[in-house]
Amino acid sequence: MPNLSRFFLLPLLALAGACSDPNALGDPTVANVVDTVTLGALEGTAISTPSGFQIGAGAVRTDQTVDFEFAYNVRKLPDQSYQRVLVPRAALGISTSSADPGLQRRQESFEDITRAPSNGYVTDSAVPIDVGERYLVRSRVVCTSLGVPLYGKLQILSFQDSTVTLQVLADRNCGFKDLVPGLPDK
């Protein structure tokens, strides 16, 4: 009988140890890297031009998927001038039942943005952008096992006609918020 009790006791102890830290994450598997992405405007560019950005994939075509965090557009203002904007999904009428993707303007340099907060993102309106500005990006909930989004950062590098070129770093590890190159710690 003592051997039988050990058989039941060991799994219970292992389970208790795993549940003792609700914030415990598995090991990260994808290194964070800095990349460059170019997006074309939603309006006025060929439909085959990627206009959306997805943290897990980079530039995506908005005619092929709604699984993106934001889209880029150039909109004409009443005074006939133009404004370049990043448009979160909810501002396009694509809402989710959980946290909507969003953007958060930052003052720090791209390199000095090292960790993403959970809240404070613009999710429901277009965000005007200019060269040199930096933003945090929160995805929709893509890590369904944990119920959390992914995070990234970007800097506006340049505009060319109806396109924008971004420097981006995306943390593609579920539950992690570190925004520095390499495998994240947290």
Side-chain angles (χ1 to χ4, degrees):
M1 202 60 139
N3 288 339
L4 187 57
S5 64
R6 264 188 259 156
F7 176 74
F8 288 110
L9 184 58
L10 287 176
L12 288 174
L13 288 173
L15 184 60
C19 294
S20 64
D21 183 2
N23 296 319
L25 300 172
D27 292 331
T29 58
V30 182
N32 297 341
V33 295
V34 176
D35 197 6
T36 304
V37 174
T38 299
L39 302 175
L42 275 173
E43 301 171 78
T45 59
I47 197 163
S48 60
T49 304
S51 297
F53 179 80
Q54 183 188 90
I55 286 181
V60 297
R61 288 178 49 178
T62 57
D63 66 314
Q64 295 181 338
T65 183
V66 295
D67 293 336
F68 54 86
E69 279 56 79
F70 63 84
Y72 169 67
N73 203 14
V74 179
R75 61 184 184 184
K76 194 171 191 176
L77 299 174
D79 67 0
Q80 302 304 307
S81 66
Y82 291 91
Q83 183 180 51
R84 296 168 184 275
V85 294
L86 299 180
V87 189
R89 282 171 28 132
L92 292 169
I94 308 167
S95 192
T96 59
S97 59
S98 57
D100 283 320
L103 298 153
Q104 185 181 115
R105 174 98 157 76
R106 302 302 295 197
Q107 295 300 318
E108 306 99 298
S109 70
F110 185 81
E111 294 76 18
D112 287 343
I113 301 171
T114 59
R115 188 154 168 80
S118 298
N119 300 311
Y121 294 85
V122 175
T123 62
D124 58 357
S125 60
V127 176
I129 58 172
D130 206 352
V131 171
E133 293 179 342
R134 291 148 316 272
Y135 295 86
L136 290 168
V137 180
R138 179 184 69 199
S139 77
R140 66 212 180 286
V141 173
V142 295
C143 302
T144 54
S145 62
L146 296 175
V148 297
L150 297 176
Y151 296 91
K153 64 181 177 179
L154 64 87
Q155 180 170 348
I156 313 300
L157 294 179
S158 65
F159 299 121
Q160 179 70 37
D161 299 323
S162 294
T163 66
V164 62
T165 301
L166 312 169
Q167 174 177 247
V168 299
L169 180 143
D171 191 333
R172 297 179 174 133
N173 297 282
C174 289
F176 287 82
K177 296 181 179 182
D178 282 354
L179 298 176
V180 294
L183 288 174
D185 290 330
K186 301 177 183 175

